[in-house]
Amino acid sequence: MSSAAGPDKEYGNTVNRETFRTSLDFLNLESISRSLICQEDSTIYCLPERAQYGYNAFIYEADAFAEDGLEGSLVEHVVKESEMFHAKLGRFESASERPFFPKELPDMFLPPNQCVIIDVNHKMWDVYFQNLLPNLVKEGSDGFYASSAVRDANCLLAISKRVHTGRFFAESKFTANTKEYTAAIKAQDKEALMNLLSYPKVEENVKERVLMKAKKLAEEAAYKIYPSLVRELYARWVIPLTKEVQVEYLLRRLS
Ligand SMILES: O=C(O)C(=O)C[C@]1(C(=O)O)C=C[C@@H](O)C=C1
């Protein structure tokens, strides 16, 4: 039997969509936190992978393939095509998995009436390309265009998933303290919600933990990143966006 037959068979026999959907116990704060810590590794480890290549401005040129009749940059194509493929597998049935290019996906691959859809990917895209990438890579081109574009797509996917996991935190916090949250939601009071869901000490722990992980990685990895950059990414963007997802989710929670 060929080696490819094994995993296919196992997939068909043991994993169904329901298993995927319920694999995250979204009402248990501890299990969501554990999932977040795992995702931390993905968001940190993808960075040196991208940092091994130069900036490669060509892959961000919007009209690079105009002669071939294609609109958009190489990196956009990589993200769109991978989302098309992932959509066929049902990736976007999970509420924490948001596509960057939902309009490019056939409707049949998007969940028809997923309760509340929160999506901050447009902000994530800008943060990644404007704030993170220029500090992550060397200036100039080294010709590794496709490799760089694929690494960009991997980083975007990992960070986006982490940020959108916020909605599970929000649901969990709402369930644990329904009375107070309900009052703030009815008043549509963003500030009150932000105060209720924020745990400054936990945030400090997260920032310290990612700094430590990045320091360890910087010692071990062949491609260097600055550990402080990872801490800053979390402090300035990842945690605030995760909280924004929570507030936006809660504002719509009772409608
Ligand atoms: O741990 C939580 O309760 C979260 O909501 C996650 C998170 C984070 O993004 O790391 C966000 C808000 C809290 O203030 C603490 C941490």
Side-chain angles (χ1 to χ4, degrees):
M1 190 189 287
S2 82
S3 59
D8 274 345
K9 198 158 171 255
E10 195 180 336
Y11 178 91
N13 283 344
T14 61
V15 181
N16 61 35
R17 287 173 174 216
E18 206 47 44
T19 315
F20 277 129
R21 220 174 273 153
T22 57
S23 60
L24 185 66
D25 174 3
F26 57 84
L27 294 182
N28 177 337
L29 206 57
E30 221 178 276
S31 77
I32 307 168
S33 296
R34 274 201 303 275
S35 157
L36 213 67
I37 292 173
C38 282
Q39 289 178 41
E40 237 162 58
D41 293 344
S42 325
T43 60
I44 296 170
Y45 279 71
C46 63
L47 299 176
E49 284 282 326
R50 175 62 183 91
Q52 69 185 299
Y53 304 114
Y55 181 70
N56 289 320
F58 169 74
I59 68 176
Y60 309 115
E61 283 173 20
D63 53 1
F65 301 98
E67 278 185 16
D68 303 317
L70 288 177
E71 271 177 38
S73 66
L74 177 61
V75 83
E76 283 171 349
H77 278 287
V78 170
V79 175
K80 279 180 201 171
E81 290 297 323
S82 66
E83 286 184 346
M84 190 69 85
F85 173 57
H86 293 175
K88 288 179 192 167
L89 301 175
R91 184 182 135 209
F92 303 116
E93 286 179 20
S94 163
S96 60
E97 298 275 7
R98 305 310 322 141
F100 283 91
F101 296 99
K103 286 186 199 137
E104 308 287 327
L105 301 174
D107 283 349
M108 60 188 283
F109 293 130
L110 291 169
N113 58 354
Q114 199 179 65
C115 32
V116 180
I117 293 182
I118 306 300
D119 193 331
V120 294
N121 268 345
H122 52 292
K123 289 192 184 170
M124 261 272 328
W125 185 272
D126 291 346
V127 164
Y128 181 77
F129 289 109
Q130 288 168 21
N131 302 90
L132 180 61
L133 189 64
N135 294 309
L136 183 67
V137 297
K138 295 178 290 294
E139 279 178 30
S141 293
D142 52 20
F144 288 103
Y145 297 136
S147 300
S148 304
V150 168
R151 270 32 170 226
D152 280 335
N154 291 346
C155 291
L156 286 166
L157 191 155
I159 303 171
S160 171
K161 166 119 180 112
R162 196 283 182 192
V163 162
H164 289 98
T165 299
R167 65 174 285 143
F168 295 120
F169 275 106
E171 179 61 25
S172 168
K173 290 171 189 178
F174 174 84
T175 308
N177 186 5
T178 306
K179 212 172 147 200
E180 266 192 277
Y181 276 96
T182 299
I185 294 168
K186 283 191 172 154
Q188 290 288 290
D189 188 338
K190 281 188 181 195
E191 209 181 314
L193 287 172
M194 189 59 100
N195 286 336
L196 276 174
L197 64 83
S198 294
Y199 304 134
K201 261 184 119 173
V202 176
E203 291 180 28
E204 279 315 305
N205 286 344
V206 172
K207 286 184 252 177
E208 260 326 278
R209 195 172 57 225
V210 295
L211 180 66
M212 290 306 144
K213 284 184 181 178
K215 278 186 176 165
K216 195 156 180 280
L217 184 61
E219 283 165 17
E220 292 164 359
Y223 324 116
K224 296 297 172 206
I225 51 162
Y226 293 111
S228 57
L229 181 69
V230 177
R231 190 186 191 282
E232 171 140 327
L233 169 70
Y234 266 76
R236 288 187 61 194
W237 309 111
V238 172
I239 295 175
L241 281 174
T242 306
K243 288 165 59 162
E244 186 175 327
V245 165
Q246 298 188 48
V247 171
E248 292 304 319
Y249 173 80
L250 289 164
L251 285 171
R252 296 168 180 73
R253 176 62 177 74
L254 299 175
S255 37

